[in-house]
Amino acid sequence: MPVILGIESSCDETSAAICADGVMLSNIIANQTIHEAYGGVVPELASRVHQQNIIPAVQQAILKAKVSKNDIDAVAFTRGPGLLGSLLVGVSFAKAFALAQDIPLIDINHMQAHILAHFIGDNKPQFPFLCLTVSGGHTQIVLVKDYFDMEIVGHTQDDAAGEALDKTSKVLGLPYPGGPLIDKYARLGNPDAFKFPEPQIPGFNFSFSGLKTSILYFIRDNEAKNPNFVQENMPDICASVEKRIVTILLNKLEKAAMAYGVKDIALAGGVSANTGLRLGIKELADKHGWRSFIPAFEYCTDNAAMIAIAGHYKFLQGEFVGQQVAPLARMPF
């Protein structure tokens, strides 16, 4: 019954989790509010706050799991992709902890871990399945053949869906992080109030730069006619933008699922917390008689539980790394 300590520090959440025989015993996430004043994540500030949070987060994870540090059989950590300074804090801590305890190290790809979050708990997809992975920096459709046998079959050619949401929120004058606020306003608005274009990109790939520009011009032109346009129409604007982003994502996922003949479709990444997207993938699955899988909210955004469960499966395969391991800002999938 392997006990795995998971460490996540790829961006602006410091997280630690304990997994025992594939069962999550704890998942501690320390968020960073310092970036709100700057309208986005400041890498240098993020790495400094990780240094403050990493030891308390690990200590809380161990206490909540009701284990001792001597019970831990291996340390799994996010090696990449992510902000190099932030990754360095988590990697350095993992290496020091493993060295002190004389236990093995397991390096984890952050994007693969988002997908493997579906294996926390009892409701698990069956291989092969398609996973739509959507975050602030990535938008991918991944064909998952086994725990670590994954193929990217579609990806964004420019901006990620999360970036489109964040940049829209800035244009609308919403504070950072804007994605949850767009979600909140969208629940109150009419998704058919305004029409935005759907990019015509071949295959299963995405593009959000054109949509982002069209939203910018839409706001600019309407504010020229009515300076209070955004304030008066905020719910409808958010609902219409969200609907277009969701339809872009799900139309490609539907196309890919039909092409590959899979019956299980899944959602992962920070944007998978969006209400419209969660409802949309369920409706898509119901339409075709497929099964849909969405992680619990605490496993959608960056968290160490997904690192720990990925580490669990690597531990079973005996895949370890040595003390010479270094973080990778860009890590091959």
Side-chain angles (χ1 to χ4, degrees), residues 160-199:
E163 285 179 280
L165 286 168
D166 287 340
K167 290 173 182 176
T168 297
S169 70
K170 281 189 177 183
V171 172
L172 295 175
L174 297 173
Y176 175 85
L181 290 173
I182 287 181
D183 190 349
K184 178 182 175 182
Y185 280 114
R187 308 282 68 79
L188 307 173
N190 175 12
D192 298 311
F194 306 108
K195 303 296 181 185
F196 296 102
E198 180 170 3

Side-chain angles (χ1 to χ4, degrees), residues 254-311:
E254 180 180 32
K255 186 177 178 181
M258 295 178 74
Y260 284 97
V262 300
K263 302 298 182 185
D264 286 3
I265 55 174
L267 194 59
V271 182
S272 65
N274 176 270
T275 306
L277 187 55
R278 294 172 80 92
L279 293 173
I281 196 170
K282 289 178 181 177
E283 291 171 1
L284 176 61
D286 291 342
K287 172 184 170 184
H288 291 281
W290 300 336
R291 297 194 305 164
S292 62
F293 297 86
I294 309 170
F297 277 106
E298 68 174 308
Y299 305 135
C300 290
T301 54
D302 292 348
N303 66 90
M306 67 184 193
I307 305 302
I309 196 69

Side-chain angles (χ1 to χ4, degrees), residues 9 11-12 14 32 34-35 41-54 83-90:
S9 68
C11 189
D12 63 333
T14 315
Q32 299 184 5
I34 191 171
H35 308 286
V41 177
V42 182
E44 175 62 22
L45 294 178
S47 59
R48 292 186 184 193
V49 179
H50 280 306
Q51 288 178 304
Q52 298 170 7
N53 290 344
I54 187 74
L83 300 174
L84 193 58
S86 294
L87 290 167
L88 191 59
V89 176

Side-chain angles (χ1 to χ4, degrees), residues 109-132:
N109 183 301
H110 179 83
M111 298 310 297
Q112 289 184 342
H114 270 303
I115 296 170
L116 294 175
H118 290 95
F119 294 91
I120 301 172
D122 297 326
N123 189 28
K124 301 176 176 68
Q126 297 294 313
F127 300 118
F129 66 93
L130 278 176
C131 187
L132 175 63

Side-chain angles (χ1 to χ4, degrees), residues 226-244:
N226 175 11
N228 297 319
F229 175 78
V230 169
Q231 287 72 22
E232 293 172 0
N233 296 277
M234 184 71 80
D236 287 348
I237 296 170
C238 290
S240 300
V241 168
E242 180 189 88
K243 180 183 178 181
R244 174 47 72 209

